């Protein structure tokens, strides 16, 4: 029987695929359930958030998550990772090195956005970076389904990873390459000149009929992603 995600506050996107918008920072966490493995997409902003997600997914599926895909290295998407003990973690090439080098900056960014000092310090001290790095595309076999991890960036950061879940409909977890609840945020680690091209790759990956899941906000369609691509190109003076 298909897990009833909606009753637990999740949004069902396709059979065995769901996501949840977490409070405070409205970041999306996704889950893809296969016969042998469960993939979690991003892990929240604190160890407590990560532990609650792990416990909830385990309760809903009857199994513990086994793999994590991190869409990019911002605090609200990675700091819950250490709560998923034993999971294999995947990220874009270079993300492991960045997380080792920039731990203090990550802690300060979390605190600047409202994470309690002790919670931020604990999460950074126990942070688990990627065990597996994706430079192009990597297919994960979850038993009865395959999921594609694609390094489509740089754009929002230098380490943007998208997650494509084939099916009807196809689902694409975009990370913060796409935002629906506000203007896409281009911080000091963004690469604006290459962001529109990253969205072109995202659209080619998912196609016209996929459901695109932003890092923040409601699920959108290809038309929304295309319009955001054009807005970013105009904003940053990037021509096709």
């Amino acid at each position: 029987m298909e897990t009833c995600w909606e009753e637990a506050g999740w949004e069902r996107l396709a059979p065995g695929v769901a996501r949840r918008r977490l409070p405070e920072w409205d970041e999306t966490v996704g889950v893809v359930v296969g016969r042998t493995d469960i993939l979690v997409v991003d892990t929240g902003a604190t160890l407590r958030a990560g532990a609650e997600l792990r416990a909830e997914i385990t309760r809903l599926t009857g199994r513990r998550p086994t793999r994590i895909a991190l869409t990019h290295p911002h605090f609200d998407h990675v700091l819950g990772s250490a709560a998923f003990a034993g999971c294999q973690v995947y990220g874009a090439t270079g993300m492991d090195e960045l997380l080792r080098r920039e731990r203090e900056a990550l802690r300060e960014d979390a605190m600047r956005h409202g994470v309690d000092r002790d919670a931020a310090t604990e999460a950074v001290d126990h942070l688990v970076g990627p065990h597996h790095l994706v430079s192009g595309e990597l297919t994960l076999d979850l038993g009865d389904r395959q999921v594609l991890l694609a390094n489509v960036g740089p754009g929002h950061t230098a380490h943007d990873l998208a997650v494509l879940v084939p099916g009807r409909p196809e689902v694409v977890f975009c990370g913060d390459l796409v935002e629906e609840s506000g203007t896409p945020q281009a911080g000091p680690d963004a690469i604006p000149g290459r962001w529109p091209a990253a969205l072109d790759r995202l659209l080619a990956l998912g196609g016209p009929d996929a459901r695109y899941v932003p890092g923040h906000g409601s699920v959108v369609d290809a038309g929304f992603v295309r319009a955001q691509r054009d807005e970013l190109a105009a904003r940053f003076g990037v021509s096709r």
Side-chain angles (χ1 to χ4, degrees):
M1 181 180 296
E2 177 76 9
T3 300
C4 190
W5 296 96
E6 290 89 347
E7 292 181 3
W10 292 69
E11 179 182 359
R12 182 180 180 275
L13 304 172
V17 186
R19 70 96 177 235
R20 185 162 189 173
R21 294 168 66 173
L22 300 184
E24 296 192 61
W25 297 280
D26 189 37
E27 71 272 33
T28 281
V29 170
V31 63
V32 185
V33 181
R35 180 174 55 82
T36 60
D37 286 270
I38 295 176
L39 172 70
V40 177
V41 182
D42 289 340
T43 60
T46 64
L47 279 175
R48 178 177 178 179
E52 290 173 351
L53 287 164
R54 183 199 63 203
E56 189 167 49
I57 293 167
T58 301
R59 178 179 63 81
L60 288 168
T61 64
R63 292 183 285 138
R64 294 172 67 94
T66 54
R67 306 193 191 194
I68 293 171
L70 299 176
T71 62
H72 63 289
H74 286 168
F75 82 94
D76 49 333
H77 297 264
V78 305
L79 286 186
S81 299
F84 291 81
C87 284
Q88 293 296 298
V89 182
Y90 299 79
T93 296
M95 187 176 177
D96 57 337
E97 201 172 306
L98 181 140
L99 290 177
R100 282 196 297 268
R101 186 178 67 245
E102 300 292 339
R103 287 189 174 223
E104 182 57 28
L106 190 65
R107 185 179 78 91
E108 291 177 358
D109 191 39
M111 291 168 52
R112 186 164 54 249
H113 285 86
V115 177
D116 173 78
R117 176 184 294 273
D118 290 341
T121 298
E122 179 186 34
V124 169
D125 284 349
H126 294 89
L127 180 62
V128 177
H131 305 109
H132 308 278
L133 301 174
V134 182
S135 60
E137 296 181 351
L138 177 67
T139 300
L140 300 183
D141 186 350
L142 304 186
D144 56 349
R145 70 194 312 164
Q146 294 185 328
V147 174
L148 183 69
L149 308 183
N151 185 338
V152 296
H156 177 65
T157 72
H159 310 285
D160 293 311
L161 190 74
V163 180
L164 170 68
V165 186
R168 295 186 179 179
E170 290 191 329
V171 176
V172 183
F173 290 96
C174 307
D176 285 3
L177 282 169
V178 178
E179 293 193 45
E180 185 277 334
S181 55
T183 302
Q185 297 301 300
D189 58 345
I191 305 179
R194 299 180 67 179
W195 197 335
L199 292 186
D200 285 336
R201 288 190 287 273
L202 201 65
L203 287 163
L205 185 70
D209 300 319
R211 304 189 74 188
Y212 292 87
V213 186
H216 303 267
S218 300
V219 175
V220 300
D221 60 13
F224 181 95
V225 178
R226 195 174 300 111
Q228 194 158 92
R229 183 254 179 244
D230 292 342
E231 290 168 6
L232 286 167
R235 176 179 166 189
F236 297 120
V238 180
S239 61
R240 283 190 177 276

